[in-house]
Amino acid sequence: MSRLLASGAVAVLSLTLVSGVQPANAVRATPDGSFPARLELPDGFQPEGIATGAGPTAWLGSRADGDIYELSLRTGEGRTISEGPGTPSLGLKHDRDGRLYVAGGTSGTARVIDTETGAVLRDIPLATAPSFVNDVVLTKGAAWFTDSNRAQLYRVDRSPDGEPATIATTVPLTGEWVQGAGLGGNGISTTPTGHALLVVNSTSGLLYRVEPATGVATEVDLGGASLTMGDGLLRHGRTLYVVRNRANEIAVIRLSKSGLTGRLVRTIDADDLAGTTSFDVPTTVGRFGSRLYLPNARFTTPPTPTTDYWVTEVPARAGD
């Protein structure tokens, strides 16, 4: 993602459910039952993050005002389920209990939203300015957030039943981590064993394996492959999808079990897309079944209230 910027009683804090309007050009499933290759978002939405879940459903965050939009991957129909706070909603992850974890960009916060009601269950301060909370991954015991402005991660503990804590712990990135100038840590995932984290540095193009307990980072040996412009990460087994936003492609990495080495096996680009859709600076990626879904942030297009935005579908098998 780029720089642009308690149960029960808690649930009553923000029960506003906003009935968004389905885009006029929303695409429904094709007559043969296949899913649409292009799914329209509301004009002016400015998408950044995406998370997928059963339904089949995706949730997207707006970097303009933080709105959360729920989208049917089968029909293209959608609605705004939670109004934003006026600050960005960037990286997203969805857990099995219907909680959506949201990286808050320049707000320096993390939010947790109930996707059934739109209620904000948690609004957790992570850092003061200048911070840029960019992406999030869920592990068994925590939610982990990156900060592209600072060489550190934020850990929000989760109870055995998945309930998030109300405070966060800062974990500095040490070891071989080099912050550098420009955007630093961006997309985040886990290693195939689940024992460590993977974080991409957008500017240097390096991928790091990070020990959660200590923050010690080790550069992943990619055999010379560069991940500059690396944005959202998604791991499926030992396959790591790395969205390279302004390059309009997905780098597909085959990882070792430890996550200390990997090799670039191919890229997914415009040649892999159906003729009805395109890439225009995709930022993050979600997966449903054998399909990948990427919101197009269109960073090179000046945003207006009428600028169109969409989600691009591409077969995951193109990179497996």
Side-chain angles (χ1 to χ4, degrees):
M1 283 146 279
S2 297
R3 180 197 313 270
L4 289 173
L5 290 177
S7 60
V10 175
V12 303
L13 295 178
S14 178
L15 291 176
T16 303
L17 180 62
V18 183
S19 297
V21 178
Q22 177 188 352
N25 53 352
V27 181
R28 293 183 176 272
T30 56
D32 63 2
S34 61
F35 286 25
R38 173 174 169 138
L39 299 110
E40 304 293 340
L41 298 173
D43 288 349
F45 185 74
Q46 298 184 49
E48 234 288 356
I50 188 171
T52 53
T57 304
W59 296 270
L60 296 107
S62 168
R63 68 181 187 274
D65 56 16
D67 282 0
I68 302 297
Y69 189 77
E70 184 178 271
L71 178 68
S72 168
L73 300 177
R74 184 181 299 277
T75 68
E77 296 178 346
R79 60 174 183 158
T80 299
I81 64 164
S82 183
E83 286 188 332
T87 53
S89 290
L90 302 185
L92 308 176
K93 285 297 182 294
H94 182 255
D95 71 14
R96 295 178 180 179
D97 296 310
R99 304 181 189 94
L100 187 69
Y101 288 75
V102 183
T106 51
S107 72
T109 65
R111 302 196 325 278
V112 184
I113 294 171
D114 185 331
T115 57
E116 289 296 320
T117 67
V120 178
L121 304 176
R122 296 282 191 274
D123 192 351
I124 307 166
L126 303 179
T128 57
S131 60
F132 196 70
V133 181
N134 211 334
D135 207 355
V136 56
V137 70
L138 303 182
T139 63
K140 184 177 180 180
W144 292 87
F145 296 83
T146 59
D147 190 329
S148 295
N149 280 355
R150 299 177 177 182
Q152 57 196 37
L153 304 177
Y154 308 108
R155 186 185 76 235
V156 176
D157 290 332
R158 301 200 299 154
S159 68
D161 63 358
E163 192 75 19
T166 59
I167 59 174
T169 301
T170 299
V171 180
L173 291 169
T174 61
E176 297 179 4
W177 180 268
V178 178
Q179 180 72 9
L183 286 177
N186 196 330
I188 185 169
S189 185
T190 56
T191 60
T193 62
H195 294 158
L197 303 169
L198 296 169
V199 180
V200 66
N201 185 303
S202 293
T203 300
S204 70
L206 300 178
L207 182 69
Y208 293 88
R209 182 187 189 273
V210 179
E211 294 293 338
T214 63
V216 173
T218 303
E219 182 184 336
V220 178
D221 182 356
L222 297 177
S226 174
L227 300 177
T228 55
M229 297 172 282
D231 206 320
L233 304 183
L234 177 68
R235 184 183 58 79
H236 186 75
R238 288 173 58 185
T239 298
L240 181 70
Y241 300 96
V242 183
V243 184
R244 299 184 64 217
N245 50 39
R246 293 176 188 261
N248 286 308
E249 69 176 35
I250 309 167
V252 185
I253 305 294
R254 181 67 174 175
L255 294 167
S256 64
K257 289 184 178 180
S258 67
L260 285 170
T261 62
R263 59 185 177 90
L264 179 68
V265 294
R266 68 187 66 188
T267 59
I268 301 173
D269 55 24
D271 292 338
D272 298 296
L273 303 181
T276 57
T277 193
S278 60
F279 282 147
D280 193 346
V281 195
T283 45
T284 50
V285 56
R287 178 169 178 148
F288 184 82
S290 61
R291 302 171 175 87
L292 301 177
Y293 292 89
L294 298 96
N296 292 277
R298 308 195 70 190
F299 290 148
T300 59
T301 300
T304 73
T306 59
T307 302
D308 61 320
Y309 294 96
W310 67 94
V311 176
T312 295
E313 176 267 342
V314 63
R317 64 178 179 273
D320 289 343

